[in-house]
């Protein structure tokens, strides 16, 4: 019998998963073996006769399930970034089993009794700061999972968790199928009218990958569809492409997510009420910086009102531009990007075709690395001949200022049909010190349109910002310096986790960075000063639109999870009615419509929490001011505080207190409004 590589000691460089040996069929056996092993370890902790102490209970739990963690992280990174039908079937089968396994641990009465006893005695245990935080997280995690309920309540909570796991998996797979099935093949010159060379090159490569050699294909990846909507002069095709993009998850047939959404909302509501909360939003926000739905709504409303007003003013400019072009139609959602590009050209003498030649993917990667080097002293060395899960994946060793190994960084930058849309940071291994210094293995996944073979991949400025954003998350994982996995890296409050990523975006927009790394992909010449000036001057162009499409999504997410009887709603009608209540401009759609809102329904990571980006933005806008006030965007003292209190601290400190330790005070919303151009 062939040895299962997932169940052996990994002798690969840096103990990466042995991707060159792993096959989909290995995962079923690996999960069953690893779950049984983890359960036995957990039961042994619960059944021991010794009185509970931090070491034999909390630290022991932190050390348990190591093999299951390795298998699960490998599997779910693959199902997100390079899946196939076999992996998807395994994912559908394993999701409820993993949920049941988790419930068995979190609802283990004897285990919870040990944790509760330690919690009650916490003031007398002499715990260090990290130990105290980890105990707090375990006690809260068990409580929020239903450990304090009676047997009927525990049983129902376990059933709900298993069903939600199944629903989240199906939701995600439905979206991927809708995205993979759609392709807009451009056959004629009329189909390609208005498209710049960089987009045609990327569309030709997308066509080649999909078996349409010699043609051009637009996909539903943002890096493909958004520039098509921006430049195509064929309004009929713009409408067709936009509607396909907008309709993901609500097409008739097997991939329609309406029933999944209503059942998910109903189960979440039931779970929250079982745990003593009025609704799911109240339950979810209780463990965040925001604390209550009212606090979230207050923030979003303060931003919504000036953003909506600015968006309406922007729409008037678009209508005027269309009229000047001899068009008398109403501005629709598929027109916005097209005419806003024209308005930007008129107001700022700037268009995307001028910028992209200077925004090479490789140069922007180096810009992100160089920024980290100047801030934190870390350096990056690319490694070859390392086993990876897809040929496009690049591997970099991260070194500290003394040249010692910090961790591995994997970059997976290009769109493909086997990858879900969007951009994200994940990890194959988290940093901790329970078994020596365990180094992190972090991955950034993007969906950029790939350049032709031998040609540079060119980015939009938004693409480059996304790269910096996700690398900010990556640094949060790489620079983590804590003892316990429970609080490692990005294991922080949901509305704090976006601070390191959104803060990192600021350096991209600084002339000191752009003037060095924004170089022409053919000539190597630096971006001309006048073009750089125009880019920075247009930083808040179309900000009303961008803020409205995001804030509408955040408000709808909140309201969905405040519903008392969510299983009774018609999703399409509800979305339309709620957008009408807040005065959503007709020509703008939500950034993520409900039927394909993966942040919220592919698992519950951002459920009732999509507002988190804006909550963190209040902090990031204010935090970058510390560097400006120091007179140097790489000021050493400020960077040291940033590393100590934000990037390396993981979930050890209280978010509010650690922000104040860095900044010297609480954040001010004025910085956010000013950053977005809504305040002087």
């Amino acid at each position: 019998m062939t040895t299962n590589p997932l169940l052996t000691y990994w002798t690969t460089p840096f103990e990466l998963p042995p991707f060159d040996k792993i096959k989909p069929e290995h995962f079923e056996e690996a999960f069953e073996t690893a779950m049984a092993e983890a359960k036995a370890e957990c039961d042994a902790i619960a059944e021991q006769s010794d009185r509970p102490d931090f070491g034999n209970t909390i630290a022991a739990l932190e050390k348990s399930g190591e093999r299951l963690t390795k298998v699960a992280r490998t599997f779910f990174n693959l199902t997100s970034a390079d899946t196939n039908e076999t992996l998807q079937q395994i994912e559908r089968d394993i999701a409820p089993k993993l949920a049941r396994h988790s419930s068995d641990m979190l609802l283990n009465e004897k285990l919870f009794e040990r944790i509760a006893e330690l919690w009650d005695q916490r003031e007398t245990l002499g715990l260090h700061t990290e130990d105290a935080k980890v105990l707090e997280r375990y006690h809260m995690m068990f409580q929020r999972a239903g450990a304090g309920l009676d047997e009927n309540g525990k049983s129902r909570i376990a059933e709900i968790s298993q069903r939600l796991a199944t629903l989240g998996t199906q939701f995600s797979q439905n979206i991927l199928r809708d995205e993979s099935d759609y392709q807009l093949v451009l056959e004629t010159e009329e189909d390609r009218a208005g498209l710049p060379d960089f987009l045609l090159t990327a569309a030709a490569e997308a066509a080649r990958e999909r078996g349409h050699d010699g043609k051009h294909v637009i996909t539903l990846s943002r890096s493909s569809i958004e520039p098509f909507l921006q430049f195509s002069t064929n309004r009929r095709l713009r409408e067709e492409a936009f509607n396909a993009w907008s309709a993901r998850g609500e097409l008739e047939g097997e991939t329609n997510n309406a029933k999944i959404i209503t059942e998910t909302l109903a189960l979440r509501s039931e779970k929250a009420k079982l745990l003593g909360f009025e609704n799911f939003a109240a339950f979810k926000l209780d463990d965040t910086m925001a604390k209550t739905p009212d606090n979230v709504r207050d923030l979003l409303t303060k931003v919504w009102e000036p953003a909506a007003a600015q968006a309406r003013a922007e729409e008037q400019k678009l209508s005027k531009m269309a009229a000047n072009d001899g068009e008398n139609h109403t501005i629709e959602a598929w027109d916005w990007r097209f005419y806003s590009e024209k308005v930007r050209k008129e107001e700022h003498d700037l268009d995307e075709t001028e910028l992209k030649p200077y925004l090479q993917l490789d140069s922007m990667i180096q810009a992100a690395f160089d920024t980290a080097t100047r801030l934190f002293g870390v350096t990056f060395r690319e490694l070859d001949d390392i086993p990876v899960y897809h040929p496009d994946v690049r591997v970099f060793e991260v070194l500290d200022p003394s040249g010692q190994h910090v961790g591995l960084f994997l970059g997976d930058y290009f769109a493909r049909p086997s990858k879900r849309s969007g951009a994200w940071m994940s990890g194959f291994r988290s940093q901790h010190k329970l078994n020596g210094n365990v180094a992190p293995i972090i991955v950034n996944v993007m969906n950029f349109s790939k350049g032709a073979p031998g040609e540079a991949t060119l980015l939009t400025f938004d693409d480059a910002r996304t790269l910096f954003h996700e690398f900010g998350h990556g640094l949060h994982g790489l620079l983590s310096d804590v003892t316990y996995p429970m609080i490692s890296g990005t294991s922080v409050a949901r509305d704090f986790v976006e601070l390191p990523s959104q803060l990192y975006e600021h350096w991209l927009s600084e002339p000191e960075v752009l003037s060095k790394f924004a170089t022409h992909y053919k000539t190597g010449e630096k971006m001309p000063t006048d073009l750089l000036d125009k880019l920075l001057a247009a930083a808040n162009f179309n900000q009303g639109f961008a803020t409205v499409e995001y804030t509408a999504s955040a408000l709808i997410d909140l309201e969905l999870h405040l519903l008392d009887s969510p299983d009774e709603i018609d999703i399409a009608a509800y979305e339309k009615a709620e957008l009408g209540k807040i005065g959503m401009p007709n020509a703008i759609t939500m950034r993520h419509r409900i039927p394909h809102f993966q942040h919220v329904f592919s698992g519950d990571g951002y459920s009732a929490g999509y507002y988190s980006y804006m909550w963190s933005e209040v902090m990031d806008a204010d935090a970058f001011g510390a560097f400006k006030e120091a007179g140097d965007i790489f000021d050493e003292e400020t960077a040291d505080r940033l590393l100590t209190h934000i990037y390396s601290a993981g979930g050890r400190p209280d978010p509010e207190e650690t922000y104040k330790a860095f900044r010297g005070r609480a954040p001010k919303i004025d910085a956010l409004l000013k950053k977005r151009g809504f305040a002087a």
Side-chain angles (χ1 to χ4, degrees), residues 579-591:
L579 292 177
K581 287 180 185 177
I582 63 176
M584 183 75 163
N586 292 331
I588 304 179
T589 59
M590 297 163 62
R591 183 169 179 81

Side-chain angles (χ1 to χ4, degrees), residues 291-450:
K291 298 301 182 188
T292 70
D294 285 344
N295 288 339
V296 172
R297 188 185 286 109
D298 181 59
L299 170 66
L300 294 175
T301 301
K302 283 180 180 176
V303 178
W304 172 264
E305 292 171 356
Q310 184 159 316
R312 293 186 188 97
E314 291 168 358
E315 185 176 359
Q316 291 179 358
K317 291 182 179 180
L318 304 189
S319 296
K320 183 178 179 180
M321 177 61 71
N324 290 342
D325 285 353
E327 302 287 347
N328 59 6
H329 57 73
T330 302
I331 297 296
E332 302 287 355
W334 49 88
D335 297 317
W336 193 290
R337 289 171 178 82
F338 179 74
Y339 286 109
S340 66
E341 181 65 17
K342 287 176 171 286
V343 171
R344 184 168 72 159
K345 176 68 174 175
E346 179 178 79
E347 292 186 352
H348 297 281
D349 191 23
L350 181 71
D351 64 50
E352 204 71 64
T353 59
E354 288 184 272
L355 292 174
K356 286 199 76 163
Y358 295 95
L359 300 175
Q360 304 174 64
L361 172 60
D362 285 352
S363 295
M364 292 300 101
I365 293 171
Q366 289 306 312
F369 287 175
D370 184 70
T371 298
T373 300
R374 297 182 68 182
L375 285 170
F376 308 123
V378 290
T379 55
F380 301 81
R381 180 167 65 96
E382 188 158 14
L383 304 176
D384 298 319
D385 301 322
I386 299 288
V388 289
Y389 58 85
H390 189 277
D392 286 340
V393 177
R394 299 169 66 179
V395 182
F396 302 87
E397 182 181 13
V398 187
L399 305 170
D400 71 13
S402 65
Q404 296 300 305
H405 180 77
V406 170
L408 287 188
F409 174 72
L410 279 61
D412 181 359
Y413 296 106
F414 302 121
R416 53 179 172 266
S418 62
K419 181 191 289 187
R420 69 175 171 87
S421 61
W424 62 94
M425 167 268 189
S426 185
F428 288 96
R429 187 172 67 210
S430 294
Q431 176 274 332
H432 65 84
K433 300 176 185 176
L434 273 181
N435 300 309
N437 285 324
V438 175
I441 300 175
I442 300 299
V443 59
N444 273 179
V445 185
M446 316 285 176
N447 271 281
F448 301 143
S449 295
K450 193 175 185 179

Side-chain angles (χ1 to χ4, degrees), residues 75-88 91 172-173 175-182 206 209-210 219-221 389-393 412-422 424 445-447 598:
F75 179 75
F76 287 109
N77 274 298
L78 289 178
T79 57
S80 294
D82 193 32
T83 195
N84 55 49
E85 289 185 6
T86 303
L87 285 175
Q88 288 184 322
E91 186 179 19
S172 183
Q173 291 188 2
I175 301 304
L176 179 59
R177 183 171 162 188
D178 280 357
E179 290 171 347
S180 300
D181 286 351
Y182 181 82
E209 291 176 344
R210 288 160 177 76
T219 72
L220 295 184
S221 167
Y389 58 85
H390 189 277
D392 286 340
V393 177
D412 181 359
Y413 296 106
F414 302 121
R416 53 179 172 266
S418 62
K419 181 191 289 187
R420 69 175 171 87
S421 61
W424 62 94
V445 185
M446 316 285 176
N447 271 281
Q598 294 200 75

